[in-house]
Structure formats: C-alpha cells, structure tokens
Amino acid sequence: MASPIRPLARLLTASTYVLLGVDALLTPGFRVAQAGPTLAAIRRAVPLPEDEAVVRGNAAVQVAGGAMLGLGVLPRLSALALVGSMVPTTLAGHAYWAAEDPVVRKQQRIQFHKNLAMIGGLLFAVLDRP
C-alpha cells in the first residue's frame, strides 16, 4: 500500500520547491532585499558572492533538488540538498523576531513555522528507505 503513496508524496513535496525556485530564478527582486541583512552578517565570517547570485544559486538548488525528488532520482540526496537550501531560506526570509510591526511579525512567524514543517517533511524523505 505504501508503494503508490511514496511517489505521490515525493511529487507533492517537490512541486513547491520547483515552483518557488523557478519564481526566484526569474524574479529574485524582493528575495535579494529580504536576504540582504542575513547575508551581510554571514559575510563577516565567510566570503560570499553578491546577494542576487546567492539567491539565484539557492533557487537553482530548489529547482534541481525538487525536480530530482519529484522524479525519484536520488530522492534522499535531493531531499538533503533541499534541507540545506531551506535552512538559510527560512532564517533569511522569515526572521520574524526582527519585524517591528505586529502583523508582519505574526505573518513571518507563521511562514517560519511552515518552513520548519517543510524541513521536517524533507527529513522524513532523507530517512525514507523503500
């Protein structure tokens, strides 16, 4: 019974990463501004390319990892790559603790926790053994 569900679960999980990754590749704009403060903090310890290149690189990982996961190609490795992409995305994109407006803070906290749930699902995929 689990066999037909596994590919469907991978496809449903992967679709979000492919769609959001393509969008970030095509229109990185606001994501670059959103990631800027976090990337600036990281640059104090580690050299990084310019912000837009980092955002586009992250988007490429999401598209490739999502496509691989959805197609069942190295699903555990692709899920692990997506986890690696989601951690900085979550920290840089949904830093609710830095928002002063209570409405924005609440929205960002919801998105932050949604991303934690997505990371949890990916970790299940990393551990999955057919």
Side-chain angles (χ1 to χ4, degrees), residues 64-91:
M68 289 173 63
L69 181 63
L71 295 171
V73 176
L74 300 172
R76 295 172 71 207
L77 182 62
S78 60
L80 186 60
L82 289 168
V83 168
S85 168
M86 285 300 292
V87 169
T89 295
T90 302
L91 293 173

Side-chain angles (χ1 to χ4, degrees), residues 19-102:
L19 292 173
L20 294 177
V22 167
D23 187 53
L25 279 171
L26 297 175
T27 56
F30 79 91
R31 292 170 187 89
V32 175
Q34 207 171 24
T38 302
L39 293 174
I42 294 170
R43 272 193 195 90
R44 289 186 221 134
V46 179
L48 291 174
E50 67 170 272
D51 292 358
E52 186 171 333
V54 173
V55 169
R56 286 181 186 267
N58 188 57
V61 169
Q62 290 184 351
V63 171
M68 289 173 63
L69 181 63
L71 295 171
V73 176
L74 300 172
R76 295 172 71 207
L77 182 62
S78 60
L80 186 60
L82 289 168
V83 168
S85 168
M86 285 300 292
V87 169
T89 295
T90 302
L91 293 173
H94 303 295
Y96 68 89
W97 52 89
E100 294 184 23
D101 180 339

